[in-house]
Amino acid sequence: MKERQIDYAAVFRALPGMVALLAPDLVYVDANDDFLRLAGRTREQLLGRYIFDVFPENPNDPAAAGMRETRESMLRVVATGERDTMALLRYDIEDPQRPGLWREHYWSPVNAPVLGPDGRVVLVVHRVEEVTELIRARGGPGGDSRARVLEAELYTRARELQEVNERLRTAHAHEREVALALQAAMLPAPRPLGHHQAAVRYQPAIGALNVCGDWYDLVELPGRSLAVAVGDVVGHGLAAACVMGQLRSALSAACRVADGPAQALEALGLYARSVEGAESTTATTTFIDWDDRSITYSCAGHLPPALLHPDGTVTFLDQATDPPLSARPEHLPRPQARTPFDVGATLVLYTDGLIERRTEDIDTSLSRLADSLTRHRRSDPEALADALLADLLPPSGNTDDTALIVLRL
């Protein structure tokens, strides 16, 4: 049976209700026929123009907040890649035939993302339901005064809700600042490692509540050895940051006395059973022996470290992977594996915020990391760390924390 060809441009134009498409910088890309008709604008007046140049705020209403609320909603969509449904909104529009005359409108908007192949937002779908006449009609026959009362009540409730949201955002922002300060205090600053260069990065998530429990650590061991580790606590906010501090300190101590990374993670797993909120934490630990040029590693549910060889090839250290901490009811020994390295190789440990995206499988994410490492293989660790963040994180920010260690071997 021959597949039916669909003209999606025609479908978009004929969609019932007001629908517009905007670029991430909030410039109109397209609008359907209902949007043009009900907004009283032509296609030429919209396309290629910034939304609030076309629809500015009513200058005669000092309490107007429609433009700010709409802008914040759209920018949240761009930043998070998630749909945002707005509360009932009053947003007056200037009559295009009578400049200076502003007509009262009530809208019920929904903003939704369109994601590109790399998981980034490439378009914002702006769907608007015009409810002005509905609000006016609610007063019934001869009930214009009742309609005005209802209208005033709705507008007042919307303003009250906005004020509550502002207070919540302020409180959440304060929590975020405290959590970030706590994380900064607990994460070690990079220090000299002999002639070996190392770079560390911690990139917090966007959003007031999205501070997470990612950590990194570098521990000098007896003899000519070094332990390098990263981990990720499930959850957000101060609670996750506090759990992160406890687990990072425990793993740092365990690495100093354990016979290898597997034993260090076993000790951490036993300790995690007594820490509320530590369940399902992931971590990976590597012991680097400079004398025999080998890496011994063990992963507890974490993404595999990447070993960038001097010739530009990349090997993922995935031969010693086990479940996250406290994921099993009984205690069992964890596996570990060993691999050699050449002088000039680079070891990269990272948390999932660097590569994982909701719209792709993990193999695609790891391949993107390997490609970036190969392209920048001649960079020193500091430049390579910056390049990885630039290549792999969304330009508008990520919804998950990212911890990263780059070590030249």
Side-chain angles (χ1 to χ4, degrees):
M1 181 176 178
K2 185 177 180 180
E3 184 177 351
R4 185 185 299 272
Q5 298 298 313
I6 300 175
D7 185 346
Y8 287 100
V11 171
F12 174 75
R13 290 192 295 271
L15 284 174
M18 302 174 67
V19 183
L21 300 177
L22 296 98
D25 57 359
L26 308 190
V27 169
Y28 281 108
V29 175
D30 204 350
N32 73 341
D33 293 344
D34 273 3
F35 191 97
L36 299 173
R37 178 175 58 83
L38 294 171
R41 299 295 188 273
T42 65
R43 190 173 302 277
E44 290 72 23
Q45 289 174 321
L46 258 65
L47 302 193
R49 297 190 62 196
Y50 181 57
I51 180 175
F52 302 114
D53 287 341
V54 181
F55 299 109
E57 197 82 87
N58 183 354
N60 304 314
D61 182 2
M67 183 174 74
R68 178 173 59 83
E69 293 171 5
T70 302
R71 180 174 58 242
E72 289 179 356
S73 172
M74 290 183 170
L75 292 179
R76 277 196 298 273
V77 171
V78 173
T80 66
E82 297 177 356
R83 180 179 300 186
D84 192 86
T85 301
M86 300 179 62
L88 180 67
L89 181 74
R90 176 177 173 177
Y91 200 136
D92 299 345
I93 292 182
E94 188 175 23
D95 190 325
Q97 306 302 323
R98 301 175 64 185
L101 176 62
W102 293 80
R103 300 198 180 278
E104 181 181 78
H105 285 274
Y106 288 88
W107 316 92
S108 180
V110 176
N111 299 308
V114 176
L115 304 180
D118 59 356
R120 300 179 182 181
V121 176
V122 294
L123 289 172
V124 176
V125 179
H126 180 51
R127 185 190 67 77
V128 183
E129 184 179 359
E130 165 70 83
V131 295
T132 306
E133 296 304 320
L134 177 62
I135 288 178
R136 290 175 177 169
R138 286 289 296 273
D144 182 67
S145 61
R146 289 200 302 273
R148 289 293 176 180
V149 170
L150 176 61
E151 171 189 309
E153 288 178 354
L154 287 170
Y155 191 63
T156 299
R157 296 297 175 266
R159 296 289 292 177
E160 290 174 351
L161 181 60
Q162 174 190 332
E163 292 173 2
V164 170
N165 286 335
E166 289 295 333
R167 289 196 294 270
L168 285 173
R169 286 173 185 160
T170 300
H172 294 162
H174 177 66
E175 178 182 343
R176 175 180 170 82
E177 290 174 3
V178 174
L180 285 173
L182 181 62
Q183 283 180 310
M186 291 188 291
L187 292 176
R191 53 187 179 276
L193 300 170
H195 65 278
H196 300 283
Q197 296 176 294
V200 297
R201 297 289 186 273
Y202 173 74
Q203 188 77 27
I206 60 172
L209 288 179
N210 280 342
V211 174
C212 307
D214 291 20
W215 85 83
Y216 59 81
D217 202 7
L218 297 97
V219 180
E220 293 188 70
L221 303 177
R224 281 175 40 83
S225 297
L226 177 73
V228 184
V230 293
D232 187 357
V233 173
V234 175
H236 305 275
L238 279 173
C242 291
V243 173
M244 176 274 289
Q246 295 177 75
L247 296 184
R248 189 201 69 80
S249 298
L251 182 57
S252 182
C255 286
R256 287 175 165 87
V257 297
D259 289 335
Q263 193 178 87
L265 286 180
E266 287 177 32
L268 181 66
L270 290 172
Y271 173 71
R273 293 174 185 269
S274 66
V275 178
E276 184 177 355
E279 59 275 3
S280 298
T281 293
T282 67
T284 188
T285 304
T286 62
F287 279 27
I288 302 168
D289 190 316
W290 303 117
D291 289 331
D292 67 4
R293 296 179 186 172
S294 68
I295 302 169
T296 306
Y297 61 94
S298 184
C299 297
H302 203 82
L303 292 166
L307 181 60
L308 172 63
H309 302 283
D311 65 358
T313 59
V314 176
T315 300
F316 287 103
L317 308 186
D318 56 3
Q319 300 304 303
T321 299
D322 218 29
L325 303 183
S326 305
R328 286 188 297 229
E330 73 282 359
H331 172 69
L332 293 174
R334 290 187 178 272
Q336 69 181 31
R338 179 180 173 277
T339 188
F341 67 82
D342 296 321
V343 174
T346 303
L347 180 65
V348 178
L349 278 71
Y350 52 94
T351 54
D352 55 5
L354 181 69
I355 67 166
E356 286 191 351
R357 301 295 175 263
R358 291 187 300 271
T359 56
E360 65 186 20
D361 61 46
I362 191 62
D363 289 335
T364 302
S365 301
L366 291 173
S367 177
R368 193 171 62 250
L369 169 60
D371 290 343
S372 180
L373 287 170
T374 299
R375 286 199 310 274
H376 303 289
R377 62 185 180 275
R378 294 185 176 86
S379 302
D380 62 48
E382 292 289 344
L384 179 55
D386 290 338
L388 291 175
L389 295 179
D391 283 355
L392 303 177
L393 294 185
S396 56
N398 203 9
T399 56
D400 197 5
D401 283 19
T402 296
L404 172 66
I405 298 178
V406 178
L407 175 65
R408 182 63 45 81
L409 301 174

